Amino acid sequence: PIPGWPDETLLEYKTELELLTEPYNRFTSTTYSGGGFVIDVPQLTTESEYQAMFAHLRENGWTSKATRVIFYDLCMYNPTLRFYVSVRLAFEFTPFGSVLVSK
């Protein structure tokens, strides 16, 4: 199970208006709408909780042959430099089963 989620539930689709996002087309082969299925990992999640979360999603068919892209967004802070960095990794699935990773 995923902390903070009711048992027996998976993610619900949210529109770009609900998520306050925009379409994305950088470093991908097509433009993706700003909507989708989103999981927000709490800041103090331990490694074992993180692994359990993704094992739960995998076991319950979070992705399928219809999945085209998974975005992994993260924000990190370096207190020594007082510097924030925001990163988006894109894992794009081709119709042939291979994965294209953003660079």
Side-chain angles (χ1 to χ4, degrees):
I2 298 173
W5 285 359
D7 287 340
E8 307 301 322
T9 62
L10 276 177
L11 304 171
E12 293 180 8
Y13 183 87
K14 302 221 184 221
T15 67
E16 59 189 70
L17 291 175
E18 292 173 295
L19 295 171
L20 302 174
T21 57
E22 297 180 358
Y24 187 83
N25 64 356
R26 290 184 177 162
F27 312 111
T28 59
S29 63
T30 190
T31 299
Y32 295 98
S33 77
F37 298 89
V38 176
I39 180 172
D40 188 12
V41 179
Q43 184 178 7
L44 299 177
T45 302
T46 66
E47 183 179 348
S48 60
E49 289 172 329
Y50 187 80
Q51 289 174 348
M53 249 186 255
F54 282 92
H56 176 75
L57 291 171
R58 184 175 51 248
E59 291 163 7
N60 288 280
W62 184 53
T63 60
S64 69
K65 291 183 180 189
T67 302
R68 289 293 152 244
V69 68
I70 293 177
F71 292 110
Y72 187 86
D73 297 326
L74 59 134
C75 184
M76 297 178 286
Y77 177 67
N78 182 326
T80 305
L81 299 175
R82 296 186 201 160
F83 186 76
Y84 284 94
V85 65
S86 179
V87 177
R88 169 169 275 180
L89 301 173
F91 299 90
E92 191 170 17
F93 299 87
T94 70
F96 310 104
S98 59
V99 178
L100 306 174
V101 180
S102 62
K103 295 181 179 186

